[in-house]
Amino acid sequence: MSFISRQKNGLLCRFSTVIDTVSDYNMTDEEYIEMCAQKAREEAQETLKHSLRPFEEVKASFVPTNMSRDEFNRILRLMEKK
């Protein structure tokens, strides 16, 4: 875990509660946003590489609580078109 803080000089630092010290410092807002975006890209790549599930599981997992079966079937037809 960690948290971000605005330093006295207006820049940002990241404090790690795992190692109990500063892990990044003197970051601009844009640098911090890019750091977060890079982590999100890496997580998305890992999901695509290791965690995709078969499309049949989408069909098998549907429960008509928040969407009607008709609407789900309509969306399925759109997803199955090439």
Side-chain angles (χ1 to χ4, degrees), residues 38 40-50:
Q38 182 58 34
R41 281 190 287 277
E42 291 167 3
E43 183 179 312
Q45 289 167 346
E46 284 298 306
T47 297
L48 293 173
K49 194 181 230 182
H50 301 292

Side-chain angles (χ1 to χ4, degrees), residues 6-68:
R6 179 90 46 203
Q7 301 167 186
K8 299 274 186 190
N9 64 4
L11 297 173
L12 301 168
C13 67
R14 179 176 179 268
F15 187 92
S16 170
T17 57
V18 174
I19 59 174
D20 296 323
T21 193
V22 174
S23 58
D24 298 278
Y25 60 95
N26 283 341
M27 294 183 288
T28 64
D29 289 15
E30 204 50 49
E31 288 170 328
Y32 173 69
I33 291 167
E34 182 54 37
M35 182 177 78
C36 292
Q38 182 58 34
K39 286 180 187 177
R41 281 190 287 277
E42 291 167 3
E43 183 179 312
Q45 289 167 346
E46 284 298 306
T47 297
L48 293 173
K49 194 181 230 182
H50 301 292
S51 300
L52 290 183
R53 295 184 180 192
F55 186 69
E56 292 303 315
E57 199 169 321
V58 172
K59 295 177 185 180
S61 299
F62 174 70
V63 177
T65 302
N66 296 303
M67 179 183 286
S68 70

